[in-house]
Amino acid sequence: MNRKEIILKHVIKNGRGIEVGSSHNPIAPKKAGYNVQIIDHLDKSSLIDKYKDHGVNIANIEDVDFIWNGESYSDLTGRTNFYDWIIASHVIEHTTDLIGFLNDCSNLLNENGILSLAIPDKRYCFDHFRPVSGLSRIIDNHLNNQKIHSAGAVIEYFLNATSKDGKIAWNSSTTVNPQFSCVHNLDDAKQALNNIINNQQFYDIHEWCFTPTHTLLILQDLLNLELINLHIIEHTPTIGHEFFITLSKIKTTPQVERHNLLKQCKKEAWSF
Ligand SMILES: C[S@@+](CC[C@H](N)C(=O)[O-])C[C@H]1O[C@@H](n2cnc3c(N)ncnc32)[C@H](O)[C@@H]1O
């Protein structure tokens, strides 16, 4: 299966759907016949402006139905318990409040609804040198109702984002003597620091860094702590620079023992 087929595996084409942050790369486009509405924190013209110099096809950018500005997705859409599916490809790592995002999605979904996630593997993208995200900040950001990325998170991102051999995403194959370069410079970081402190400016950055098993562990822990109510129903290992997880309110598979996931996480942490 290719990435689109994996993400769409549990999606009913004429069911009611939401794609969050579809941007220039929608998985379930309106023009392909999907019964879909788009949530993004930017409107269509701002997305075109943002991506016009990125070498991507801006003609794929869809009309944004709901422009998110920090409210709950149920308040934003006027819906609860309504949608059959939600797709979020390369979005959860951008959220300021991961738990809030998952709960927002859960509230939009009906009892059988699914949330299909594509997630960049931090080992194979510009987050390569950053540590995986721990539960501490994930929980604290939720309890603090974090609406913009904190100065610390933005600085961590700006100073540590790197390209490898000129690319911001790659795969697990090893190259001889790879050339890593910092994507941003100190001046970018200082400017961001000032803009956040003085103007509360929103920077769209990767708040969270994930690898596959570590993400399963985080999701399982959040569920067991009753901070979320979504169960993992399917997941893949990394393909290229991303992996895929599908969640649902209905439990279909047993949980993996925590210590076994921890052992796997340790292997994963040293496997690049
Ligand atoms: C990296 S792009 C992903 C684009 C596309 N889905 C893909 O897989 O290539 C992230 C998108 O999510 C949007 N976004 C980021 N954080 C968001 C949030 N909390 N709620 C809604 N949209 C968000 C951004 O504006 C952007 O369109």
Side-chain angles (χ1 to χ4, degrees):
M1 280 202 279
N2 62 32
R3 73 181 300 271
K4 229 171 184 171
E5 289 165 340
I6 295 169
I7 298 169
L8 290 171
K9 183 170 170 196
H10 298 273
V11 164
I12 310 157
K13 194 165 184 176
N14 60 0
R16 295 168 180 150
I18 289 275
E19 186 162 353
V20 185
S22 58
S23 183
H24 55 86
N25 193 13
I27 303 296
K30 295 173 185 179
K31 63 183 174 203
Y34 286 91
N35 182 12
V36 66
Q37 293 177 299
I38 310 297
I39 295 179
D40 204 299
H41 72 92
L42 296 175
D43 63 13
K44 182 175 180 175
S45 64
S46 307
L47 284 169
I48 291 173
D49 208 42
K50 176 174 173 183
Y51 287 108
K52 66 181 186 306
D53 300 324
H54 284 224
V56 297
N57 188 357
I58 54 169
N60 285 338
I61 295 178
E62 307 235 50
D63 287 334
V64 176
D65 298 281
F66 304 112
I67 299 161
W68 179 72
N69 204 16
E71 64 276 73
S72 76
Y73 283 177
S74 287
D75 283 347
L76 180 65
T77 60
R79 304 286 191 187
T80 43
N81 220 2
F82 181 76
Y83 291 95
D84 298 300
W85 50 268
I86 299 174
I87 293 171
S89 166
H90 290 238
V91 172
I92 65 162
E93 68 281 5
H94 293 257
T95 58
T96 50
D97 173 6
L98 176 67
I99 296 170
F101 171 80
L102 293 170
N103 288 333
D104 272 350
C105 290
S106 174
N107 289 335
L108 288 185
L109 290 171
N110 60 35
E111 277 317 294
N112 298 309
I114 62 99
L115 170 62
S116 181
L117 302 172
I119 305 165
D121 186 325
K122 77 106 198 162
R123 295 171 296 177
Y124 310 121
C125 73
F126 52 77
D127 295 320
H128 184 79
F129 291 107
R130 297 178 59 191
V132 291
S133 299
L135 276 177
S136 57
R137 249 199 34 242
I138 290 175
I139 292 175
D140 291 347
N141 272 20
H142 178 58
L143 297 180
N144 291 335
N145 200 16
Q146 194 81 31
K147 296 292 183 201
I148 65 166
H149 299 288
S150 68
V154 173
I155 290 303
E156 189 185 305
Y157 162 79
F158 267 94
L159 291 184
N160 295 309
T162 45
S163 61
K164 179 187 178 193
D165 298 327
K167 296 188 183 129
I168 56 165
W170 50 91
N171 60 32
S172 61
S173 61
T174 45
T175 48
V176 183
N177 196 18
Q179 297 299 305
F180 287 99
S181 319
C182 289
V183 174
H184 301 283
N185 58 39
L186 188 60
D187 285 341
D188 294 337
K190 280 182 175 167
Q191 170 105 52
L193 187 59
N194 283 332
N195 286 339
I196 295 169
I197 292 171
N198 297 324
N199 310 321
Q200 292 287 293
Q201 189 166 322
F202 178 78
Y203 281 85
D204 187 11
I205 57 147
H206 280 195
E207 173 89 29
W208 313 113
C209 295
F210 296 115
T211 56
T213 312
H214 143 264
T215 311
L216 298 180
L217 182 59
I218 282 184
L219 292 171
Q220 191 169 295
D221 284 340
L222 294 178
L223 177 71
N224 293 337
L225 290 164
E226 298 178 15
L227 288 166
I228 64 171
N229 66 353
L230 292 171
H231 301 260
I232 297 157
I233 59 166
E234 194 150 13
H235 59 91
T236 70
T238 295
I239 303 168
H241 70 284
E242 60 186 344
F243 56 97
F244 306 91
I245 298 180
T246 309
L247 301 163
S248 149
K249 287 186 221 184
I250 298 171
K251 183 178 177 183
T252 58
T253 49
Q255 292 199 343
V256 182
E257 292 278 2
R258 195 168 194 285
H259 63 270
N260 286 332
L261 283 174
L262 280 171
K263 276 194 281 184
Q264 185 60 29
C265 285
K266 188 175 166 192
K267 273 195 213 152
E268 216 169 63
W270 294 103
S271 65
F272 66 105

